[in-house]
Amino acid sequence: MWEIVLGFKSFTVRPISVFGATTALVSLLPLVPSNAEPLFNVTVTSNGTTTETSFTNAIDFVDQTTTSEGLTGLNPNYTISSVATVLGDFRGVDYSLTYPDRGATLIFEVPDLDISQTFSEATREANEDALDDYLVTNQDDILTKLGEFLVRTTATDPVAGNPASLQATMISSDFGLGSGFGGNGSVQVNDDNTVEETPGGIPGLAARLGRFSVDGNDGTVIELPLSYVKPLADPRWAVVLEMPLTYVDIGGSQSYSASLGGGLRIPVLDNWSLTPSVRVGGVGSDDFGAFAFMYSGSVTSSFRFTAMGLDFNLGNMLSYISTTGNPNDGEKSPDYDLQNTVARNGLSASGSSSWRLFDQPTTWEASIVNTQILGDDIYIDNYTDFAVSLGTVQSQNGLTWDAARLGITYTIGNHGYKKVNVNFGYKF
């Protein structure tokens, strides 16, 4: 995944520069190769003719492949008295609908979910209505089994199972704000490990644009995190609010997600803080046929120290995250039932550099961060980020460009997962 990051500490300073920088980032995206394939595919065989069709919308896909009216549009040789076989691929889950003779019988099978159901009403239309009712009412827990199977075996689900999902975004958001890794957070640590901050509230806006590829699927991610930090009388204490808005496109199927998190940064020592936080989020997509709410609670530790002439930051987070309810209940969409405990731990080192950027002194930073997701099975549950970056030293007056940073992140995970991020940050 190639990712470009642009961050700001103020909504009001230099709006023209913000617009120009964002436009430049968007113009770079076509340079990243894309080979996206649709996530929904069907093969219809009837009267000696076989047709193949792809979809980008889950609702259209299910509606058209489970009714005789829809099948007629997919294969012109199909009639309501045809022997026919329908082989569907729903985001990696294979199923079949079989009309074994010229009568009304309909057989529905999902081998991966160990489901086989025969409908024997008087007409095909009645059997197709019975299948629709079977799916909508979640009989045999088919929708729950489907949601669990998707996050356990695929890397494209928008709810969980991959680093572009709502679950992963909520995890990384809480860790970043609590630890300060990657330029997140609001802490300015001095050489003596004391803290200085701009008085008053600190609003923030960031834009992340990227592409990724995994298991033969390419996608585009656009993220807009909004944040607000309110230091208290002792600026080591602070109330932190953060809301990332995320758009994902994989194979022409699009999803939208958002979460809102709030935390309190609590100083344990001058160089050690704990940030307990809570977060709620949701994702919805007709294209993916995925709808879910999630909530999480976490505690993040940031311990900063100096050794061998370098500044180190040890970040550790423990989080519990769970789905809760289905905002599209009563429809033919997966019903997610996930509960996970997350450990995210990292170490960064930084030091001064002889390079100058915008005629300002710079620092380099290198970090390694590991994420392990325990509890219910998900596809990519262990991944590690290796990052290096170079950027300017943060200023104190809040009025000048105070954080420009260039970096690269290489991520490896289980199931052969690999990702490369190119990061650019510009904060003021």
Side-chain angles (χ1 to χ4, degrees), residues 357-374:
L357 187 61
F358 303 118
D359 201 30
Q360 298 294 319
T362 61
T363 62
W364 60 266
E365 181 179 274
S367 66
I368 177 173
V369 180
N370 174 259
T371 301
Q372 296 188 55
I373 304 176
L374 310 173

Side-chain angles (χ1 to χ4, degrees), residues 175 177-181 187-190 192-195 197 234-238 264-276 299-306 312-318 345-346:
F175 180 79
L177 283 180
S179 68
F181 274 55
V187 179
Q188 172 62 43
V189 180
N190 298 322
D192 59 358
N193 284 325
T194 60
V195 177
E197 299 200 39
D234 179 346
R236 297 176 304 167
W237 292 72
L264 176 65
R265 191 177 68 228
I266 302 171
V268 180
L269 301 172
D270 285 343
N271 62 326
W272 181 21
S273 66
L274 295 177
T275 306
V299 177
T300 305
S301 167
S302 174
F303 182 78
R304 299 171 184 263
F305 61 96
T306 300
F312 291 88
N313 182 5
L314 178 65
N316 307 95
M317 185 183 78
L318 186 64
N345 303 287

Side-chain angles (χ1 to χ4, degrees), residues 248-291:
V248 179
D249 183 302
I250 302 175
S253 300
Q254 303 170 356
S255 69
Y256 303 85
S257 66
S259 70
L260 175 62
L264 176 65
R265 191 177 68 228
I266 302 171
V268 180
L269 301 172
D270 285 343
N271 62 326
W272 181 21
S273 66
L274 295 177
T275 306
S277 63
V278 294
R279 184 176 294 270
V280 294
V283 59
S285 171
D286 283 344
D287 285 355
F288 281 87
F291 303 87

